[in-house]
Amino acid sequence: NNILSRMENPSLFVNGELNSKYLLFSLVQIEILYSLGEFKDCIEVSKEIIDVLSKTDFTFLLRDPEKVFAKAGFPTKVTESLFNKTPVITNITSDLNDYLVDGKNALIVPSFSDKDFAVTVKKAMKLNRTELMNMFNESYKTAREKLSLKAYEESFNEFIK
């Protein structure tokens, strides 16, 4: 069943404001549909989210670096953001430092604190349009060169030989 239809306000925007609960449930539903092989429905649900991502300058991802999930896996939301030419404001967890460069394709929050997050957001607000455009392009370049299936095709083929 569509979990989104059970919500009180099943829309990405409510009274002109982003409905973050809908956005979160949309992302969860996409992952569920994808894992079930329901690719057509997965694409339909994601269209609205991709539209919102294409209009944002940054996405945010802050994780407590002491939590097991933050150490264990690569956050797929970073990949989704970079492929949509959207740099990420984040703290470094897992192996994000292998992919993200402060001021190039991301703005790195130095610690998991409100103060450092606020300083980093203020830094983002001071960027001019040229700097943002460079970050958009670098985000996509990183996604293509380091996170796409094509980037690992040769090493995978070598591995299975």
Side-chain angles (χ1 to χ4, degrees), residues 107-118:
L107 291 178
I108 305 301
V109 181
S111 71
F112 186 63
S113 73
D114 295 343
K115 181 182 176 189
D116 281 344
F117 177 69

Side-chain angles (χ1 to χ4, degrees), residues 102-144:
D102 189 44
K104 189 171 180 178
N105 57 8
L107 291 178
I108 305 301
V109 181
S111 71
F112 186 63
S113 73
D114 295 343
K115 181 182 176 189
D116 281 344
F117 177 69
V119 168
T120 306
V121 169
K122 287 177 186 174
K123 180 179 173 182
M125 294 170 65
K126 291 178 183 177
L127 295 171
N128 64 42
R129 205 69 204 147
T130 301
E131 292 168 317
L132 280 172
M133 293 302 292
N134 288 337
M135 289 187 79
F136 298 158
N137 292 331
E138 287 296 325
S139 296
Y140 187 64
K141 182 180 174 186
T142 299
R144 276 191 346 246

Side-chain angles (χ1 to χ4, degrees), residues 12-13 18 23 46-57 86:
L12 193 54
F13 292 95
L18 181 66
L23 178 62
S46 66
K47 283 181 183 177
E48 210 173 357
I49 294 169
I50 290 170
D51 183 53
V52 169
L53 266 180
S54 71
K55 295 174 185 171
T56 61
D57 290 337
T86 308

